[in-house]
Amino acid sequence: MRYETFYDSPLGRMLLVANGEALTGVYFSLQKYFPQNGDVRLDGDGVSVLDAAKQQLDEYFHGGRRQFELDLAPEGTPFQQRVWEALCRIPFGETRSYGDLAHALGDANKSRAVGAANGRNPITIIVPCHRVIGADGTLTGYASGLERKLALLSLEGAALAPVTGAGTAATRRSRLSSPANLAFDF
């Protein structure tokens, strides 16, 4: 069984999906890889994991929540699962490059594969794929749009400072030097 509910975030409406026990999807409306209309999902009002996800998203956007505490069950290949687990280890307010993640997973040559898995992340924000940037410190693709990625990084105070090369400490531990110049009203 799949259950769904909607959440109105400051960045747009979101679809939350669960299997009854764990969260299986969090999608912004119209994002790339949004679930098909033919997928059968039941009304998720009152499903505890969906209610908890809404509350924790509210706390993230408005109350300073830095870490989510939800049961997750994203569906993907074993490699995608490893990438998504690595994403969950990127601390709030920090960024990593695709190369950093590939290196952490044991193969620095898999940056593109990491990027593809990152793009297919079905649990946006909670599995923080928005915290992955280019090796040069610039924003790169985001299935929900670069404007949302920038807004999320701004909310977290994460850095987009220039970086000299992939794998440097600046890439792994960078922070925004002046996030106040980004005006997003949460």
Side-chain angles (χ1 to χ4, degrees):
M1 283 283 144
R2 296 269 187 236
Y3 300 91
E4 71 176 24
T5 191
F6 290 93
Y7 171 75
D8 290 317
S9 84
L11 299 177
R13 194 161 212 220
M14 302 178 81
L15 171 68
L16 283 60
V17 182
N19 63 13
E21 302 293 321
L23 203 57
T24 60
V26 175
Y27 308 90
F28 279 105
S29 294
L30 305 176
Q31 83 172 46
K32 193 174 184 181
Y33 309 118
F34 191 83
Q36 300 298 315
N37 286 337
D39 293 346
V40 176
R41 296 180 298 269
L42 304 172
D43 182 358
D45 289 343
V47 174
S48 61
V49 70
L50 293 174
D51 291 343
K54 286 181 183 181
Q55 178 183 347
Q56 290 185 32
L57 284 166
D58 270 344
E59 293 166 358
Y60 171 80
F61 283 114
H62 305 291
R65 176 175 280 276
R66 296 171 151 263
Q67 188 170 355
F68 291 92
E69 298 168 2
L70 298 162
D71 290 328
L72 306 178
E75 296 176 4
T77 67
F79 181 76
Q80 289 172 328
Q81 297 282 341
R82 288 181 54 222
V83 170
W84 300 334
E85 288 169 10
L87 293 174
C88 289
R89 291 189 292 273
I90 303 173
F92 180 95
E94 294 186 16
T95 59
R96 303 289 187 272
S97 73
Y98 298 99
D100 291 334
L101 286 175
H103 182 75
L105 292 170
D107 190 344
N109 295 319
K110 291 202 173 194
S111 300
R112 289 179 191 253
V114 165
N118 191 62
R120 296 295 298 215
N121 170 24
I123 304 179
T124 194
I125 299 176
I126 295 166
V127 175
C129 55
H130 62 278
R131 296 179 186 155
V132 182
I133 60 174
D136 63 356
T138 59
L139 288 181
T140 54
Y142 186 58
S144 298
L146 289 179
E147 300 82 13
R148 285 185 177 132
K149 183 173 187 169
L150 181 59
L152 294 169
L153 291 173
S154 176
L155 172 71
E156 295 184 9
L160 295 176
V163 177
T164 57
T168 67
T171 302
R172 290 191 302 273
R173 304 268 190 266
S174 56
R175 299 187 70 75
L176 268 180
S177 55
S178 57
N181 65 352
L182 302 171
F184 296 99
D185 184 20
F186 294 108

